[in-house]
Amino acid sequence: MSVYWNSRVKNLSPYVPGEQPREKKLIKLNTNENPYPPSPLVIQALKKAADDDLRLYPDPACTELREAIAGRYGVKPEQVFTGNGSDEVLAFAFGAFFESGPDHLPVLFPDISYSFYPVYAGLWGIPYKTIPLADDFSIDTDNYKIISGGVILSNPNAPTGIALSVDRIKQIAGFLKKNKKILIVDEAYIDFACPGEGLSIIPFCNECVNVLAVHTLSKSASLAGLRAGFAIGSAALIEGLCRIRDSFNSYTMDRLALSGAAAAIRDEGYYKTVNKKIIATRLRVSSSLAALGFKVIPSQANFIFASPPPSSGISGQALYAALREKGVLVRHFNKPRITDYLRITIGRDADMDVFLQICGEIIRRR
Ligand SMILES: *Cc1c(COP(=O)(O)O)cnc(C)c1O
């Protein structure tokens, strides 16, 4: 606290990111990074971009990257916005589409979801209301068909990993459209949903003009360190995002990020292979944890949300600490309904085997 802080800064409650440990020896399963490297074509593009042209500002319209994304997802480049990680895109979307001030209707999101949503609402002074998940942690979409200031959902949800069908998403969008409000669908983990489920709202963004889909390259494109994310929606929504960005910083993506991200988007094949491996590991680890007596929430993401068997008498916090002691870092959220759960990022098979073995030892020791 400082006397020089204005009331805005005093009243913020910033997001606390998962730990990035200095110790290299830890098995890091705490921030949903991809355990596999980015496509070799990305590294090649980054090396090529590291040249004398760095003296020049990057393309403020991010044309090459937006065209690559538009081509991959079958939309027009005017329907694509890109930014410095999807966190930035989400922050801009809150600023562009949700009203600020206590006289406005609250924006709705689940009580258990991405913990950055209340932070963005706080930053912009947007009123919000959280809607409890059902006892099985699923989202009852009927709860979102009420008069509100708009809705944001993560699909699959984080940290539960449970996904909603496109039909359910469309129903919420249809309701909101009647009241001229928007639905933001944060699809950070959609590439890890089982193939063929068709869960993304992107193919429907021409008919759902009040829906903004937000993606990140941090998880499924192995590029958390590059900072790249994007949104797809109607051209008018994208223009709204540009108005916020250009009132803040015209160059949120640098030359390296623009080149590397475009190369990643173009190399769909490489990432399909990598993420198929992660899905297979997720299924295997889920059954192994269930065999140990864990309660495992069925996940469509690159993480598993699970709680230790009650008979072990070990709390979520204690299991987190015991794993850390043994060199495995997972994520524990000290929040009322989920305090006995851990969120475990899916890593390489060998690392997951170490994790499973240590879990078994800890449970049996009790
Ligand atoms: C990781 C994550 C993001 C942010 O990703 P960045 O692109 O790295 O900023 C957004 N939403 C959810 C639900 C996430 O888990």
Side-chain angles (χ1 to χ4, degrees):
M1 189 69 107
S2 157
V3 292
Y4 302 109
W5 286 6
N6 65 14
S7 51
R8 181 185 302 120
V9 169
K10 279 184 201 147
N11 291 328
L12 290 178
S13 20
Y15 178 75
V16 183
E19 187 185 347
Q20 295 295 337
R22 305 284 300 269
E23 312 137 70
K24 285 279 180 197
K25 274 179 298 182
L26 282 175
I27 294 181
K28 194 172 178 306
L29 309 176
N30 71 328
T31 51
N32 297 345
E33 288 135 332
N34 200 309
Y36 301 106
S39 152
L41 297 179
V42 170
I43 309 299
Q44 216 175 47
L46 290 175
K47 286 185 176 152
K48 193 159 161 258
D51 68 4
D52 291 352
D53 281 351
L54 281 173
R55 69 189 182 81
L56 299 169
Y57 279 109
D59 170 16
C62 308
T63 312
E64 182 200 349
L65 175 57
R66 284 173 48 236
E67 283 174 355
I69 294 167
R72 161 104 168 251
Y73 291 92
V75 296
K76 299 194 196 98
E78 309 90 83
Q79 293 178 276
V80 180
F81 179 85
T82 59
N84 189 282
S86 65
D87 283 341
E88 183 185 78
V89 177
L90 289 165
F92 287 173
F94 271 65
F97 308 122
F98 297 147
E99 294 284 3
S100 300
D103 300 338
H104 289 281
L105 289 164
V107 167
L108 311 177
F109 48 83
D111 62 338
I112 298 164
S113 192
Y114 189 34
S115 29
F116 230 134
Y117 303 153
V119 175
Y120 298 134
L123 171 65
W124 294 103
I126 297 164
Y128 67 90
K129 186 171 167 239
T130 57
I131 310 270
L133 295 182
D135 287 340
D136 63 359
F137 291 157
S138 64
I139 289 174
D140 180 350
T141 48
D142 287 342
N143 291 336
Y144 295 83
K145 292 185 216 155
I146 58 171
I147 302 291
S148 74
V151 173
I152 177 159
L153 296 174
S154 172
N155 193 41
N157 196 15
T160 64
I162 300 175
L164 281 173
S165 69
V166 164
D167 277 349
R168 294 264 162 194
I169 299 269
K170 278 197 204 164
Q171 283 170 21
I172 302 176
F175 182 91
L176 289 170
K177 189 163 173 238
K178 285 184 269 170
N179 301 303
K180 300 195 174 64
K181 301 294 183 211
I182 93 152
L183 168 63
I184 300 174
V185 188
D186 181 352
E187 297 189 340
Y189 299 102
I190 203 91
D191 295 337
F192 302 104
C194 280
E197 301 252 336
L199 294 169
S200 176
I201 197 67
I202 290 178
F204 305 94
C205 64
N206 284 326
E207 63 184 87
C208 302
V209 292
N210 63 328
V211 173
L212 187 77
V214 179
H215 277 219
T216 174
L217 278 74
S218 296
K219 280 74 181 236
S220 61
S222 311
L223 287 172
L226 193 73
R227 309 308 301 133
F230 61 91
I232 292 181
S234 62
L237 293 184
I238 300 309
E239 193 185 339
L241 290 172
C242 292
R243 287 173 72 92
I244 294 278
R245 179 197 58 203
D246 296 336
S247 305
F248 169 77
N249 173 7
S250 302
Y251 307 104
T252 59
M253 296 193 77
D254 61 63
R255 284 176 166 271
L256 299 184
L258 287 170
S259 304
I265 294 290
R266 285 190 211 105
D267 199 355
E268 196 179 352
Y270 170 87
Y271 289 108
K272 272 229 163 88
T273 309
V274 159
N275 294 327
K276 226 193 250 170
K277 233 173 1 184
I278 291 176
I279 293 171
T281 308
R282 175 185 76 210
L283 295 171
R284 181 175 74 81
V285 176
S286 296
S287 358
S288 302
L289 279 178
L292 285 173
F294 277 71
K295 179 164 185 197
V296 182
I297 307 297
S299 170
Q300 300 271 26
N302 70 335
F303 56 80
I304 295 172
F305 203 50
S307 65
S311 60
S312 71
I314 190 164
S315 69
Q317 177 76 52
L319 180 57
Y320 164 84
L323 281 165
R324 181 160 187 144
E325 174 107 332
K326 295 277 184 188
V328 180
L329 188 55
V330 298
R331 191 92 187 256
H332 175 254
F333 299 93
N334 213 348
K335 280 180 74 177
R337 295 177 69 191
I338 54 172
T339 185
D340 273 323
Y341 283 80
L342 297 180
R343 193 194 67 193
I344 304 130
T345 304
I346 301 300
R348 291 171 188 257
D349 280 301
D351 285 343
M352 298 318 285
D353 288 341
V354 174
F355 160 78
L356 286 169
Q357 194 201 329
I358 295 172
C359 271
E361 283 165 13
I362 295 168
I363 301 274
R364 277 192 293 273
R365 214 192 306 140
R366 293 273 161 155

